[in-house]
PDB file of all heavy atoms in Angstrom:
ATOM      1  N   LYS A   1     129.806  58.139  28.762  1.00  0.00           N
ATOM      2  CA  LYS A   1     129.844  57.415  27.471  1.00  0.00           C
ATOM      3  C   LYS A   1     128.714  56.461  27.329  1.00  0.00           C
ATOM      4  O   LYS A   1     128.996  55.177  27.726  1.00  0.00           O
ATOM      5  CB  LYS A   1     131.237  56.711  27.248  1.00  0.00           C
ATOM      6  CG  LYS A   1     132.384  57.548  27.142  1.00  0.00           C
ATOM      7  CD  LYS A   1     133.744  56.864  26.921  1.00  0.00           C
ATOM      8  CE  LYS A   1     134.894  57.794  26.694  1.00  0.00           C
ATOM      9  NZ  LYS A   1     136.221  57.089  26.481  1.00  0.00           N
ATOM     10  N   PRO A   2     127.621  57.083  27.040  1.00  0.00           N
ATOM     11  CA  PRO A   2     126.334  56.247  27.102  1.00  0.00           C
ATOM     12  C   PRO A   2     126.025  55.294  26.048  1.00  0.00           C
ATOM     13  O   PRO A   2     124.913  54.654  25.915  1.00  0.00           O
ATOM     14  CB  PRO A   2     125.218  57.325  27.252  1.00  0.00           C
ATOM     15  CG  PRO A   2     125.787  58.469  26.609  1.00  0.00           C
ATOM     16  CD  PRO A   2     127.255  58.434  26.661  1.00  0.00           C
ATOM     17  N   PHE A   3     127.012  55.139  24.870  1.00  0.00           N
ATOM     18  CA  PHE A   3     126.613  54.445  23.719  1.00  0.00           C
ATOM     19  C   PHE A   3     127.599  53.318  23.596  1.00  0.00           C
ATOM     20  O   PHE A   3     128.728  53.519  23.059  1.00  0.00           O
ATOM     21  CB  PHE A   3     126.583  55.327  22.543  1.00  0.00           C
ATOM     22  CG  PHE A   3     125.679  56.408  22.524  1.00  0.00           C
ATOM     23  CD1 PHE A   3     126.049  57.892  22.926  1.00  0.00           C
ATOM     24  CD2 PHE A   3     124.298  56.351  22.344  1.00  0.00           C
ATOM     25  CE1 PHE A   3     125.205  58.876  22.925  1.00  0.00           C
ATOM     26  CE2 PHE A   3     123.386  57.330  22.450  1.00  0.00           C
ATOM     27  CZ  PHE A   3     123.832  58.606  22.679  1.00  0.00           C
ATOM     28  N   PRO A   4     127.226  52.108  23.997  1.00  0.00           N
ATOM     29  CA  PRO A   4     128.045  50.984  24.029  1.00  0.00           C
ATOM     30  C   PRO A   4     127.937  50.162  22.722  1.00  0.00           C
ATOM     31  O   PRO A   4     126.853  50.205  22.111  1.00  0.00           O
ATOM     32  CB  PRO A   4     127.598  50.040  25.087  1.00  0.00           C
ATOM     33  CG  PRO A   4     126.159  50.337  25.193  1.00  0.00           C
ATOM     34  CD  PRO A   4     125.978  51.800  24.928  1.00  0.00           C
ATOM     35  N   CYS A   5     129.076  49.622  22.162  1.00  0.00           N
ATOM     36  CA  CYS A   5     129.118  48.769  20.871  1.00  0.00           C
ATOM     37  C   CYS A   5     128.600  47.461  21.320  1.00  0.00           C
ATOM     38  O   CYS A   5     129.026  46.805  22.203  1.00  0.00           O
ATOM     39  CB  CYS A   5     130.493  48.663  20.412  1.00  0.00           C
ATOM     40  SG  CYS A   5     130.567  47.564  18.946  1.00  0.00           S
ATOM     41  N   SER A   6     127.572  46.992  20.538  1.00  0.00           N
ATOM     42  CA  SER A   6     127.034  45.620  20.799  1.00  0.00           C
ATOM     43  C   SER A   6     128.086  44.410  20.494  1.00  0.00           C
ATOM     44  O   SER A   6     127.763  43.308  20.864  1.00  0.00           O
ATOM     45  CB  SER A   6     125.832  45.437  20.071  1.00  0.00           C
ATOM     46  OG  SER A   6     125.955  45.577  18.671  1.00  0.00           O
ATOM     47  N   GLU A   7     128.935  44.728  19.681  1.00  0.00           N
ATOM     48  CA  GLU A   7     129.921  43.707  19.187  1.00  0.00           C
ATOM     49  C   GLU A   7     131.104  43.526  20.205  1.00  0.00           C
ATOM     50  O   GLU A   7     131.375  42.488  20.561  1.00  0.00           O
ATOM     51  CB  GLU A   7     130.458  44.211  17.806  1.00  0.00           C
ATOM     52  CG  GLU A   7     129.587  44.114  16.656  1.00  0.00           C
ATOM     53  CD  GLU A   7     129.230  42.616  16.286  1.00  0.00           C
ATOM     54  OE1 GLU A   7     129.946  41.752  16.567  1.00  0.00           O
ATOM     55  OE2 GLU A   7     127.953  42.399  15.951  1.00  0.00           O
ATOM     56  N   CYS A   8     131.675  44.558  20.615  1.00  0.00           N
ATOM     57  CA  CYS A   8     132.913  44.585  21.533  1.00  0.00           C
ATOM     58  C   CYS A   8     132.740  45.294  22.853  1.00  0.00           C
ATOM     59  O   CYS A   8     133.737  45.161  23.635  1.00  0.00           O
ATOM     60  CB  CYS A   8     134.124  45.204  20.726  1.00  0.00           C
ATOM     61  SG  CYS A   8     133.980  46.893  20.469  1.00  0.00           S
ATOM     62  N   GLY A   9     131.498  45.999  23.095  1.00  0.00           N
ATOM     63  CA  GLY A   9     131.409  46.536  24.474  1.00  0.00           C
ATOM     64  C   GLY A   9     132.172  47.925  24.600  1.00  0.00           C
ATOM     65  O   GLY A   9     131.906  48.546  25.630  1.00  0.00           O
ATOM     66  N   LYS A  10     132.956  48.389  23.634  1.00  0.00           N
ATOM     67  CA  LYS A  10     133.411  49.658  23.781  1.00  0.00           C
ATOM     68  C   LYS A  10     132.403  50.803  23.811  1.00  0.00           C
ATOM     69  O   LYS A  10     131.465  50.687  22.967  1.00  0.00           O
ATOM     70  CB  LYS A  10     134.401  49.979  22.537  1.00  0.00           C
ATOM     71  CG  LYS A  10     135.202  51.304  22.592  1.00  0.00           C
ATOM     72  CD  LYS A  10     136.299  51.368  21.525  1.00  0.00           C
ATOM     73  CE  LYS A  10     137.156  52.592  21.750  1.00  0.00           C
ATOM     74  NZ  LYS A  10     138.182  52.711  20.615  1.00  0.00           N
ATOM     75  N   CYS A  11     132.654  51.772  24.587  1.00  0.00           N
ATOM     76  CA  CYS A  11     131.599  52.804  24.799  1.00  0.00           C
ATOM     77  C   CYS A  11     132.015  54.212  24.274  1.00  0.00           C
ATOM     78  O   CYS A  11     133.153  54.584  24.110  1.00  0.00           O
ATOM     79  CB  CYS A  11     131.227  53.033  26.388  1.00  0.00           C
ATOM     80  SG  CYS A  11     130.527  51.629  27.007  1.00  0.00           S
ATOM     81  N   PHE A  12     131.016  54.958  23.766  1.00  0.00           N
ATOM     82  CA  PHE A  12     131.274  56.247  23.191  1.00  0.00           C
ATOM     83  C   PHE A  12     130.353  57.391  23.618  1.00  0.00           C
ATOM     84  O   PHE A  12     129.185  57.030  24.194  1.00  0.00           O
ATOM     85  CB  PHE A  12     130.960  56.102  21.636  1.00  0.00           C
ATOM     86  CG  PHE A  12     131.906  55.169  20.935  1.00  0.00           C
ATOM     87  CD1 PHE A  12     131.596  53.772  20.932  1.00  0.00           C
ATOM     88  CD2 PHE A  12     133.220  55.575  20.430  1.00  0.00           C
ATOM     89  CE1 PHE A  12     132.402  52.804  20.389  1.00  0.00           C
ATOM     90  CE2 PHE A  12     133.944  54.658  19.886  1.00  0.00           C
ATOM     91  CZ  PHE A  12     133.649  53.335  19.880  1.00  0.00           C
ATOM     92  N   ALA A  13     130.869  58.536  23.692  1.00  0.00           N
ATOM     93  CA  ALA A  13     130.196  59.738  24.263  1.00  0.00           C
ATOM     94  C   ALA A  13     129.074  60.224  23.302  1.00  0.00           C
ATOM     95  O   ALA A  13     128.072  60.852  23.785  1.00  0.00           O
ATOM     96  CB  ALA A  13     131.150  60.845  24.504  1.00  0.00           C
ATOM     97  N   GLN A  14     129.207  59.876  21.895  1.00  0.00           N
ATOM     98  CA  GLN A  14     128.234  60.341  21.025  1.00  0.00           C
ATOM     99  C   GLN A  14     127.713  59.211  20.180  1.00  0.00           C
ATOM    100  O   GLN A  14     128.604  58.251  19.798  1.00  0.00           O
ATOM    101  CB  GLN A  14     128.801  61.486  20.179  1.00  0.00           C
ATOM    102  CG  GLN A  14     129.216  62.764  20.935  1.00  0.00           C
ATOM    103  CD  GLN A  14     129.730  63.839  19.947  1.00  0.00           C
ATOM    104  OE1 GLN A  14     129.377  63.787  18.915  1.00  0.00           O
ATOM    105  NE2 GLN A  14     130.613  64.527  20.460  1.00  0.00           N
ATOM    106  N   LYS A  15     126.539  59.221  19.764  1.00  0.00           N
ATOM    107  CA  LYS A  15     125.957  58.079  18.959  1.00  0.00           C
ATOM    108  C   LYS A  15     126.579  58.049  17.581  1.00  0.00           C
ATOM    109  O   LYS A  15     126.883  57.015  17.132  1.00  0.00           O
ATOM    110  CB  LYS A  15     124.389  58.305  18.830  1.00  0.00           C
ATOM    111  CG  LYS A  15     123.656  57.051  18.152  1.00  0.00           C
ATOM    112  CD  LYS A  15     122.133  57.332  18.107  1.00  0.00           C
ATOM    113  CE  LYS A  15     121.539  56.139  17.640  1.00  0.00           C
ATOM    114  NZ  LYS A  15     119.975  56.247  17.426  1.00  0.00           N
ATOM    115  N   SER A  16     126.960  59.322  16.940  1.00  0.00           N
ATOM    116  CA  SER A  16     127.606  59.304  15.706  1.00  0.00           C
ATOM    117  C   SER A  16     128.973  58.545  15.687  1.00  0.00           C
ATOM    118  O   SER A  16     129.352  57.979  14.741  1.00  0.00           O
ATOM    119  CB  SER A  16     127.712  60.743  15.184  1.00  0.00           C
ATOM    120  OG  SER A  16     128.519  61.362  16.133  1.00  0.00           O
ATOM    121  N   HIS A  17     129.628  58.639  16.861  1.00  0.00           N
ATOM    122  CA  HIS A  17     130.977  57.975  17.060  1.00  0.00           C
ATOM    123  C   HIS A  17     130.794  56.481  17.106  1.00  0.00           C
ATOM    124  O   HIS A  17     131.519  55.732  16.539  1.00  0.00           O
ATOM    125  CB  HIS A  17     131.704  58.478  18.280  1.00  0.00           C
ATOM    126  CG  HIS A  17     132.114  59.931  18.191  1.00  0.00           C
ATOM    127  ND1 HIS A  17     132.637  60.583  19.360  1.00  0.00           N
ATOM    128  CD2 HIS A  17     132.144  60.831  17.232  1.00  0.00           C
ATOM    129  CE1 HIS A  17     132.917  61.821  18.908  1.00  0.00           C
ATOM    130  NE2 HIS A  17     132.576  61.949  17.683  1.00  0.00           N
ATOM    131  N   LEU A  18     129.751  56.088  17.830  1.00  0.00           N
ATOM    132  CA  LEU A  18     129.386  54.579  17.787  1.00  0.00           C
ATOM    133  C   LEU A  18     129.124  54.075  16.485  1.00  0.00           C
ATOM    134  O   LEU A  18     129.558  52.969  15.982  1.00  0.00           O
ATOM    135  CB  LEU A  18     128.194  54.382  18.733  1.00  0.00           C
ATOM    136  CG  LEU A  18     127.646  52.925  18.705  1.00  0.00           C
ATOM    137  CD1 LEU A  18     128.750  51.964  19.105  1.00  0.00           C
ATOM    138  CD2 LEU A  18     126.389  52.925  19.645  1.00  0.00           C
ATOM    139  N   VAL A  19     128.289  54.937  15.595  1.00  0.00           N
ATOM    140  CA  VAL A  19     127.898  54.401  14.233  1.00  0.00           C
ATOM    141  C   VAL A  19     129.260  54.286  13.347  1.00  0.00           C
ATOM    142  O   VAL A  19     129.450  53.194  12.641  1.00  0.00           O
ATOM    143  CB  VAL A  19     126.969  55.449  13.649  1.00  0.00           C
ATOM    144  CG1 VAL A  19     126.808  55.249  12.135  1.00  0.00           C
ATOM    145  CG2 VAL A  19     125.701  55.407  14.364  1.00  0.00           C
ATOM    146  N   LYS A  20     130.130  55.281  13.448  1.00  0.00           N
ATOM    147  CA  LYS A  20     131.373  55.204  12.701  1.00  0.00           C
ATOM    148  C   LYS A  20     132.217  53.942  13.165  1.00  0.00           C
ATOM    149  O   LYS A  20     132.722  53.203  12.290  1.00  0.00           O
ATOM    150  CB  LYS A  20     132.282  56.424  12.988  1.00  0.00           C
ATOM    151  CG  LYS A  20     131.635  57.675  12.344  1.00  0.00           C
ATOM    152  CD  LYS A  20     132.414  58.979  12.647  1.00  0.00           C
ATOM    153  CE  LYS A  20     131.777  60.186  12.076  1.00  0.00           C
ATOM    154  NZ  LYS A  20     132.480  61.421  12.512  1.00  0.00           N
ATOM    155  N   HIS A  21     132.340  53.726  14.502  1.00  0.00           N
ATOM    156  CA  HIS A  21     133.083  52.641  15.018  1.00  0.00           C
ATOM    157  C   HIS A  21     132.569  51.247  14.478  1.00  0.00           C
ATOM    158  O   HIS A  21     133.185  50.390  14.245  1.00  0.00           O
ATOM    159  CB  HIS A  21     133.155  52.613  16.638  1.00  0.00           C
ATOM    160  CG  HIS A  21     133.440  51.301  17.173  1.00  0.00           C
ATOM    161  ND1 HIS A  21     134.741  50.873  17.311  1.00  0.00           N
ATOM    162  CD2 HIS A  21     132.719  50.396  17.801  1.00  0.00           C
ATOM    163  CE1 HIS A  21     134.785  49.627  17.914  1.00  0.00           C
ATOM    164  NE2 HIS A  21     133.509  49.306  18.172  1.00  0.00           N
ATOM    165  N   HIS A  22     131.163  51.143  14.489  1.00  0.00           N
ATOM    166  CA  HIS A  22     130.456  49.952  14.137  1.00  0.00           C
ATOM    167  C   HIS A  22     130.898  49.395  12.787  1.00  0.00           C
ATOM    168  O   HIS A  22     130.861  48.348  12.557  1.00  0.00           O
ATOM    169  CB  HIS A  22     128.931  50.099  14.327  1.00  0.00           C
ATOM    170  CG  HIS A  22     128.163  48.798  14.452  1.00  0.00           C
ATOM    171  ND1 HIS A  22     128.441  47.877  15.650  1.00  0.00           N
ATOM    172  CD2 HIS A  22     127.401  48.213  13.634  1.00  0.00           C
ATOM    173  CE1 HIS A  22     127.610  46.962  15.472  1.00  0.00           C
ATOM    174  NE2 HIS A  22     126.890  47.012  14.331  1.00  0.00           N
ATOM    175  N   ARG A  23     131.292  50.281  11.924  1.00  0.00           N
ATOM    176  CA  ARG A  23     131.715  50.023  10.531  1.00  0.00           C
ATOM    177  C   ARG A  23     132.921  49.111  10.508  1.00  0.00           C
ATOM    178  O   ARG A  23     133.268  48.431   9.566  1.00  0.00           O
ATOM    179  CB  ARG A  23     131.831  51.178   9.685  1.00  0.00           C
ATOM    180  CG  ARG A  23     130.597  51.887   9.459  1.00  0.00           C
ATOM    181  CD  ARG A  23     130.830  53.186   8.661  1.00  0.00           C
ATOM    182  NE  ARG A  23     129.639  54.082   8.628  1.00  0.00           N
ATOM    183  CZ  ARG A  23     129.547  55.378   8.674  1.00  0.00           C
ATOM    184  NH1 ARG A  23     130.808  56.090   8.824  1.00  0.00           N
ATOM    185  NH2 ARG A  23     128.392  56.073   8.777  1.00  0.00           N
ATOM    186  N   SER A  24     133.755  49.304  11.618  1.00  0.00           N
ATOM    187  CA  SER A  24     134.972  48.566  11.632  1.00  0.00           C
ATOM    188  C   SER A  24     134.638  46.994  11.790  1.00  0.00           C
ATOM    189  O   SER A  24     135.507  46.140  11.715  1.00  0.00           O
ATOM    190  CB  SER A  24     135.897  49.004  12.860  1.00  0.00           C
ATOM    191  OG  SER A  24     135.214  48.826  14.111  1.00  0.00           O
ATOM    192  N   HIS A  25     133.513  46.691  12.385  1.00  0.00           N
ATOM    193  CA  HIS A  25     132.964  45.393  12.573  1.00  0.00           C
ATOM    194  C   HIS A  25     132.361  44.845  11.293  1.00  0.00           C
ATOM    195  O   HIS A  25     132.475  43.663  10.840  1.00  0.00           O
ATOM    196  CB  HIS A  25     131.993  45.152  13.734  1.00  0.00           C
ATOM    197  CG  HIS A  25     132.524  45.522  15.115  1.00  0.00           C
ATOM    198  ND1 HIS A  25     133.608  44.765  15.650  1.00  0.00           N
ATOM    199  CD2 HIS A  25     132.380  46.431  15.981  1.00  0.00           C
ATOM    200  CE1 HIS A  25     133.985  45.287  16.865  1.00  0.00           C
ATOM    201  NE2 HIS A  25     133.254  46.271  17.011  1.00  0.00           N
ATOM    202  N   THR A  26     131.533  45.708  10.604  1.00  0.00           N
ATOM    203  CA  THR A  26     130.700  45.266   9.631  1.00  0.00           C
ATOM    204  C   THR A  26     131.382  45.399   8.109  1.00  0.00           C
ATOM    205  O   THR A  26     131.100  44.770   7.273  1.00  0.00           O
ATOM    206  CB  THR A  26     129.425  46.173   9.442  1.00  0.00           C
ATOM    207  OG1 THR A  26     129.809  47.563   9.199  1.00  0.00           O
ATOM    208  CG2 THR A  26     128.554  45.980  10.788  1.00  0.00           C
ATOM    209  N   GLY A  27     132.466  46.281   8.114  1.00  0.00           N
ATOM    210  CA  GLY A  27     133.092  46.430   6.864  1.00  0.00           C
ATOM    211  C   GLY A  27     132.338  47.391   5.934  1.00  0.00           C
ATOM    212  O   GLY A  27     132.795  47.611   4.829  1.00  0.00           O
ATOM    213  N   ASP A  28     131.297  48.027   6.428  1.00  0.00           N
ATOM    214  CA  ASP A  28     130.486  48.966   5.724  1.00  0.00           C
ATOM    215  C   ASP A  28     131.391  50.145   5.245  1.00  0.00           C
ATOM    216  O   ASP A  28     132.046  50.755   6.106  1.00  0.00           O
ATOM    217  CB  ASP A  28     129.337  49.264   6.503  1.00  0.00           C
ATOM    218  CG  ASP A  28     128.286  50.164   5.807  1.00  0.00           C
ATOM    219  OD1 ASP A  28     128.183  50.060   4.509  1.00  0.00           O
ATOM    220  OD2 ASP A  28     127.627  50.928   6.520  1.00  0.00           O
TER     221      ASP A  28
END
């Protein structure tokens, strides 16, 4: 899981999953 979240540190196997997760922090 090479893609970590800069907000909470959670890691993801795919960059697209990280992008989706990041919206939970930004409300986008």
